[in-house]
Amino acid sequence: MLEGKNILLGVTGGIAAYKMADVASMLVKQHADVHVVMTENATKFITAETFQVLTKNKVYVDVFDEEPDDYVNVPHVSLGTSADCVLIAPATADVIGKIANGIADDMVTTTVLPARCPILIAPSMNVYMLENVIVQDNIKKLKRFGYQIIEPDDGHLACGYDGKGKLPQPEKLVEQVLLACAKEKDLKGKKVLVDAGPTQEAIDPVRFITNHSSGKMGYSVAKVAALRGASVVLVSGPTNLDTPAGVKRIDVTSAEDMYDAMVKEAVDSDIIIMSAAVADFTPETVADNKIKKNSDDEGMVIPLKRTKDILKTLGSMKDSSGTVDFTADSFKVEDKKQIIVGFSMETEKLIENSRKKLESKNADMICANSLTTEGAGYKVDTNIVTMITKDDMIELPLMSKDEVADKIFDKIITMF
């Protein structure tokens, strides 16, 4: 995702500096051109040579490390101005204070000052240092100036204290870099609402009815929307997946829960993508206690009732021009262009059934896939999707679910 991107890492003198070797390695694997600058104190925890081996680029620790050949493109200026993203991690109280007040007296602060790209700062220090009013004021100042602060984690700190101040794991730091610069922000200013995963319909306090959905497709949709600059809300049934960076997640359990959350969040959404496997039926009644089996019983019958159709409900709020008018349930939003995309998982008559769904639900697009096709389905990382609109049909080849999500948004943008 970072091919052709220049990423600058600023490593300062905190114990968590060792984590940055993994960050550098992960970014290189994403095909980024990674450069590293360090403070002198940082070299007490990890060597410059380590980063040079990982990135295949010279590492600068002091402004006076610059050599005669560097004078044409002065590194402490060119590294900052050529970067697509800067990540300062771990960011000590010292460096945070310097950057917040325009002080440039080491290679990290000197290189950050001329940068004109997203600058991410990951504070990492003792919990009481972090809570100090001066440090907090400097962090607020950085936020006001447009710097992006990566919140530290809670946990047991190297100094022996417990609390907030841990540098997040390398995977989370890389996610933030991807969020900052991996893709063009062509969805900036749009709210994208996504549902994902299965629902669970209770039979009694112990048992429930569900399906095989893993939520992977919906989570990829939410992730890609955030990477492309959208404000993203993900309404998720029970899954084992981590929330994508930059995404607000609302956890629900039943089809009724998902209906309520989706209708509420749809009010001000520009794009709605419904990839969840919502139960079509739910038990008419839920037993208060665990249903006990009886040795004389040959079987059990559970009366079911239909669940509310979320896609049809949202589609019914749109007129033929695509303008949505939420008057139901006291909502009122007039003259808002809204794109609604549904998913259709079929085992037969894929295109025929999906076209019927497109029309009956008043959706703008249906993404159809077949459970019987190898490489598609619930629990795999790939998918084979056919995007169907009223006037068009695009068959996508086998690709990752992230790539499918990108193609969906490429199509949606043309529809606006």
Side-chain angles (χ1 to χ4, degrees):
M1 279 191 182
L2 294 173
E3 189 169 0
K5 301 291 185 181
N6 293 321
I7 309 300
L8 177 64
L9 302 181
V11 183
T12 74
I15 185 65
Y18 73 92
K19 291 184 180 180
M20 297 307 292
D22 281 339
V23 172
S25 179
M26 291 176 185
L27 292 172
V28 169
K29 288 176 182 176
Q30 292 273 356
H31 307 291
D33 185 15
V34 181
H35 294 264
V36 179
V37 292
M38 305 174 69
T39 63
E40 182 67 35
N41 285 340
T43 64
K44 309 296 183 183
F45 298 100
I46 186 169
T47 67
E49 287 75 15
T50 299
F51 290 112
Q52 286 180 177
V53 170
L54 292 170
T55 66
K56 306 299 186 290
N57 286 316
K58 180 175 179 178
V59 175
Y60 291 92
V61 178
D62 193 284
V63 175
F64 296 101
D65 287 343
E66 297 171 352
E67 299 172 356
D69 289 344
D70 294 329
Y71 296 159
V72 176
N73 295 303
V74 181
H76 72 265
V77 175
S78 63
L79 288 174
T81 56
S82 64
D84 294 293
C85 179
V86 176
L87 170 62
I88 310 298
T92 60
D94 176 62
V95 166
I96 288 171
K98 288 178 179 177
I99 296 174
N101 291 282
I103 297 171
D105 65 352
D106 56 42
M107 194 63 192
V108 172
T109 53
T110 304
T111 307
V112 167
L113 213 56
R116 294 295 181 270
C117 62
I119 300 175
L120 316 180
I121 295 183
S124 177
M125 64 195 76
N126 168 269
V127 58
Y128 296 135
M129 292 176 66
L130 181 65
E131 292 174 351
N132 184 283
V133 291
I134 299 172
V135 174
Q136 285 298 309
D137 188 61
N138 285 331
I139 290 174
K140 289 177 184 177
K141 186 183 294 187
L142 289 173
K143 289 180 179 178
R144 192 168 71 249
F145 292 156
Y147 291 77
Q148 299 176 35
I149 305 299
I150 301 174
E151 290 296 319
D153 286 345
D154 277 293
H156 185 71
L157 305 175
C159 57
Y161 288 81
D162 291 292
K164 201 169 186 179
K166 287 178 68 71
L167 185 69
Q169 291 302 311
E171 293 82 2
K172 289 188 177 181
L173 296 175
V174 171
E175 278 185 350
Q176 293 298 323
V177 173
L178 288 167
L179 193 62
C181 70
K183 293 184 179 294
E184 180 186 349
K185 305 304 182 206
D186 52 4
L187 291 175
K188 188 174 182 179
K190 301 290 186 186
K191 177 183 174 180
V192 176
L193 174 62
V194 185
D195 66 6
T199 60
Q200 294 178 351
E201 309 305 314
I203 297 171
D204 61 24
V206 177
R207 305 175 182 90
F208 54 82
I209 300 170
T210 190
N211 55 63
H212 295 292
S213 175
S214 64
K216 287 185 175 182
M217 188 67 246
Y219 275 64
S220 285
V221 170
K223 170 187 172 182
V224 169
L227 291 175
R228 293 174 73 152
S231 170
V232 185
V233 175
L234 172 64
V235 178
S236 176
T239 75
N240 294 319
L241 303 175
D242 293 329
T243 307
V247 171
K248 175 187 174 183
R249 174 170 157 179
I250 299 173
D251 288 315
V252 297
T253 302
S254 68
E256 184 77 15
D257 297 336
M258 188 167 282
Y259 178 93
D260 292 341
M262 289 295 289
V263 170
K264 179 180 179 181
E265 291 295 330
V267 177
D268 58 349
S269 295
D270 300 285
I271 301 167
I272 301 173
I273 301 183
M274 301 192 57
S275 61
V278 185
D280 293 320
F281 295 91
T282 189
E284 284 187 356
T285 59
V286 180
D288 293 331
N289 298 299
K290 179 184 176 183
I291 300 172
K292 306 294 289 183
K293 65 181 179 181
N294 189 321
S295 58
D296 296 331
D297 290 342
E298 293 183 358
M300 178 180 178
V301 176
I302 303 174
L304 301 176
K305 63 181 180 179
R306 286 294 302 267
T307 58
K308 295 176 182 176
D309 191 322
I310 306 172
L311 181 57
K312 189 172 184 177
T313 298
L314 298 182
S316 68
M317 296 176 180
K318 291 166 54 102
D319 62 25
S320 58
S321 69
T323 300
V324 62
D325 183 4
F326 284 92
T327 54
D329 299 322
S330 76
F331 294 129
K332 181 72 173 177
V333 178
E334 298 178 344
D335 300 328
K336 182 177 181 64
K337 178 73 173 178
Q338 189 178 76
I339 300 295
I340 298 180
V341 178
F343 269 71
S344 175
M345 174 66 78
E346 303 290 345
T347 57
E348 59 180 357
K349 299 180 180 179
L350 177 67
I351 303 303
E352 179 184 342
N353 288 337
S354 298
R355 284 197 180 281
K356 288 179 181 177
K357 186 171 186 177
L358 178 75
E359 184 176 347
S360 66
K361 311 293 186 180
N362 195 31
D364 297 286
M365 182 164 68
I366 294 293
C367 296
N369 53 0
S370 174
L371 190 60
T372 60
T373 304
E374 186 177 354
Y378 288 127
K379 295 184 179 180
V380 294
D381 295 323
T382 57
N383 210 347
I384 302 173
V385 166
T386 300
M387 298 187 295
I388 303 171
T389 65
K390 293 179 176 65
D391 306 314
D392 198 8
M393 186 174 79
I394 301 172
E395 296 182 18
L396 301 178
L398 177 69
M399 54 179 63
S400 73
K401 288 181 175 177
D402 284 1
E403 291 171 325
V404 171
D406 252 329
K407 294 295 184 183
I408 291 171
F409 284 115
D410 288 344
K411 180 62 178 176
I412 288 172
I413 285 172
T414 69
M415 298 168 75
F416 271 108

